[in-house]
């Protein structure tokens, strides 16, 4: 496979079915596949080499034809699943994204066939399929040099155009967004990841995500399970309120709907609802719009909010509750700083003898604060 790399695209054109049969045979047992060895031989630097490029170009050649798109998609998915990653841009996952880009698709297959291929990949390689879906959703900036094109066979029809019509683009984006929403229905980590991409989703899919988040299936989850979803929604609202005047910011009506959904998922426990305040993302926690207040004032207000939160936990659960809370936040030192501003001196007498020399990292950061 490695030594024939330069001519693999021609061999694929010469006998597409036999070529795909050979690639499938080489992937029957992915863990023992020759491709794992070839991936490991990738060299970095100016004089380095990637011995998988020829195979990827060959598969990209065949993806232009509707008859081969599904097989090529599944093979690229299997290759992506065993790809350890590297410095070269020629990777199976990148080939997949290039083939299906809604604004610059590199296949002559019709839109229903493209969706069928992506659905097949989601069934066979869920992790790879999910990554592909996220790469196909709209973004502020996206570029593509296109995929490898066949030299001899007329896989690309004479009336094919690099330009995509508005309706075709919209149909593809809605299709992939719909698949993404369906994929997250029973997967909380993916749902939280999709929330971050809400601004990129077209309206039908956007509303479907919010409807799912407001459904009994999600609202019936425990507070701890709902917490990442609530935090993702609140962060999104805060970001777009903070930069409300930016061109990329969502409209007030949409942001309000997201905020209403977040309120439904909000935890009641102070131990959960205050965790977000003690993150490493102070900028996301500021109240005023960007440019309307100086950062020193914003920091002062945020510090007061943190002190109020720690006071509430201390009053409800005593110092043991604060320590438990500290072990679950991203920035334990900020809990210590807030506690140091509001706690009575008797707390020092409890904490310092026990934690000044501790090797437990969260507690060391906390007591330093």
């Amino acid at each position: 496979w490695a030594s024939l790399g330069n001519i693999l695209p021609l061999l694929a054109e010469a006998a597409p079915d036999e070529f795909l049969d050979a690639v499938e045979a080489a992937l029957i047992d992915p863990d023992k596949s020759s491709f794992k060895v070839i991936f490991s031989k990738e060299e970095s630097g100016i004089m380095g080499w990637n011995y998988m490029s020829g195979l990827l170009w060959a598969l990209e050649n065949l993806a232009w034809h509707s008859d081969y798109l599904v097989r090529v998609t599944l093979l690229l998915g299997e290759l992506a699943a065993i790809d350890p990653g590297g410095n070269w841009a020629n990777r199976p996952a990148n080939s997949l994204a290039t083939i299906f880009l809604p604004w610059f698709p590199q296949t002559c297959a019709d839109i229903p066939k493209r969706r069928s291929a992506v659905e097949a990949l989601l069934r066979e390689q869920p992790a790879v399929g999910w990554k592909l879906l996220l790469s196909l959703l709209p973004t502020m900036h996206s570029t593509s040099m296109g995929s490898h094109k066949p030299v001899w066979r007329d896989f690309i029809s004479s009336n094919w155009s690099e330009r995509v019509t508005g309706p075709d683009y919209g149909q593809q984006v809605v299709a992939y967004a719909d698949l993404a929403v369906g994929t997250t229905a029973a997967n909380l980590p993916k749902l939280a990841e999709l929330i971050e991409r809400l601004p990129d989703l077209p309206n039908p899919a956007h509303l479907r995500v919010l409807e799912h988040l407001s459904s009994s299936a999600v609202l019936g989850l425990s507070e701890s399970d709902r917490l990442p979803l609530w935090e993702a929604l609140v962060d999104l609202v805060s970001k777009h309120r903070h930069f409300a005047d930016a061109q990329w910011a969502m409209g007030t009506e949409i942001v309000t709907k997201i905020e209403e959904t977040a309120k439904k998922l909000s935890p009641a426990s102070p131990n959960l609802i205050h965790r977000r305040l003690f993150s490493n993302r102070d900028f996301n926690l500021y109240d005023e719009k960007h440019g309307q207040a100086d950062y020193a004032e914003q920091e002062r207000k945020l510090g007061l909010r943190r002190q109020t939160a720690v006071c509430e936990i201390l009053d409800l659960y005593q110092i043991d509750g604060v320590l438990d809370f500290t072990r679950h936040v991203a920035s334990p030192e900020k809990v210590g700083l807030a506690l140091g501003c509001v706690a009575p001196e008797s707390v020092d007498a409890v904490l310092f003898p026990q934690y000044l020399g501790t090797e437990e990292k969260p507690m060391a950061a906390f007591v330093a604060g």
Side-chain angles (χ1 to χ4, degrees):
W1 289 105
S3 63
L4 292 174
N6 289 335
I7 63 169
L8 287 180
L10 292 176
L11 293 177
E13 277 192 73
D17 289 301
E18 287 78 3
F19 182 84
L20 292 173
D21 288 345
V23 180
E24 287 170 351
L27 283 165
I28 288 177
D29 187 345
D31 290 333
K32 297 180 181 179
S33 172
S34 300
F35 298 133
K36 286 198 75 170
V37 179
I38 298 173
F39 272 126
S40 71
K41 300 299 181 181
E42 179 178 316
E43 301 166 353
S44 59
I46 298 176
M47 302 301 292
W49 194 254
N50 178 350
Y51 297 95
M52 291 295 293
S53 295
L55 175 61
L56 299 180
W57 292 336
L59 292 172
E60 289 173 8
N61 275 359
L62 300 184
W64 283 98
H65 197 290
S66 177
D67 290 350
Y68 305 120
L69 180 62
V70 175
R71 288 182 74 184
V72 167
T73 300
L74 293 178
L75 287 172
L76 286 171
E78 290 186 44
L79 290 169
I82 62 173
D83 181 6
N87 295 320
W88 283 75
N90 287 338
R91 315 223 72 85
N94 291 343
S95 292
L96 281 168
T98 300
I99 290 168
F100 290 98
L101 272 177
W103 58 271
F104 193 49
Q106 300 293 285
T107 177
C108 290
D110 59 24
I111 295 174
K113 188 62 171 279
R114 294 176 214 168
R115 174 168 179 153
S116 296
V118 175
E119 286 176 328
L121 180 63
L122 282 168
R123 289 193 299 270
E124 298 295 326
Q125 299 288 343
V128 176
W130 174 247
K131 182 179 178 181
L132 173 61
L133 284 177
L134 291 180
S135 70
L136 298 180
L137 297 178
T139 58
M140 290 291 291
H141 304 286
S142 183
T143 60
S144 175
M145 299 296 291
S147 70
H148 205 276
K149 294 179 175 62
V151 177
W152 301 104
R153 290 187 183 264
D154 296 328
F155 285 170
I156 303 176
S157 59
S158 58
N159 62 353
W160 179 81
S161 172
E162 289 187 348
R163 294 186 177 183
V164 176
T165 65
D168 279 356
Y169 172 76
Q171 185 180 349
Q172 291 175 83
V173 170
V174 169
Y176 298 140
D178 189 58
L179 287 176
V181 173
T183 301
T184 63
N187 190 304
L188 294 181
K190 287 180 179 178
L191 185 55
E193 198 172 358
L194 189 60
I195 287 172
E196 297 177 10
R197 300 295 301 275
L198 267 177
D200 303 328
L201 296 182
N203 220 359
H206 185 111
L207 292 176
R208 188 177 165 196
V209 173
L210 296 182
E211 288 172 357
H212 178 61
L213 289 168
S214 301
S215 68
S216 57
V218 176
L219 296 179
L221 296 170
S222 67
E223 285 194 344
S224 57
D225 285 338
R226 297 200 312 264
L227 184 65
L229 305 179
W230 173 75
E231 288 180 334
L233 289 170
V234 173
D235 284 346
L236 191 62
V237 169
S238 176
K239 176 182 178 180
H240 285 264
R241 286 257 166 86
H242 195 67
F243 292 96
D245 297 329
Q247 187 176 1
W248 50 261
M250 292 186 292
T252 303
E253 184 179 349
I254 297 176
V255 173
T256 300
K257 287 182 179 179
I258 296 173
E259 187 174 37
E260 291 170 353
T261 304
K263 288 178 180 178
K264 297 175 185 177
L265 295 170
S266 177
S269 167
N271 271 345
L272 295 177
I273 201 168
H274 293 321
R275 279 188 198 177
R276 180 175 171 272
L277 285 174
F278 298 91
S279 70
N280 293 311
R281 302 167 297 173
D282 285 11
F283 196 74
N284 290 342
L285 301 170
Y286 294 157
D287 291 328
E288 282 82 1
K289 287 183 180 180
H290 177 63
Q292 290 189 354
D294 64 82
Y295 292 121
E297 178 63 12
Q298 294 273 36
E299 281 292 327
R300 188 188 70 81
K301 290 182 178 180
L302 179 57
L304 292 175
R305 288 167 62 195
R306 285 171 171 157
Q307 293 170 29
T308 300
V310 168
C311 277
E312 184 178 357
I313 294 172
L314 185 63
D315 289 343
L316 286 172
Y317 308 112
Q318 309 307 313
I319 191 60
D320 288 339
V322 176
L323 296 177
D324 180 67
F325 176 76
T326 300
R327 291 184 172 94
H328 292 89
V329 300
S331 295
E333 67 277 7
K334 293 175 182 176
V335 182
L337 181 60
L339 183 66
C341 292
V342 299
E345 289 186 8
S346 58
V347 170
D348 297 351
V350 174
L351 294 178
F352 290 166
Q354 185 173 356
Y355 293 108
L356 273 177
T358 183
E359 295 182 0
E360 185 183 354
K361 288 185 177 180
M363 291 296 101
F366 162 75
V367 79

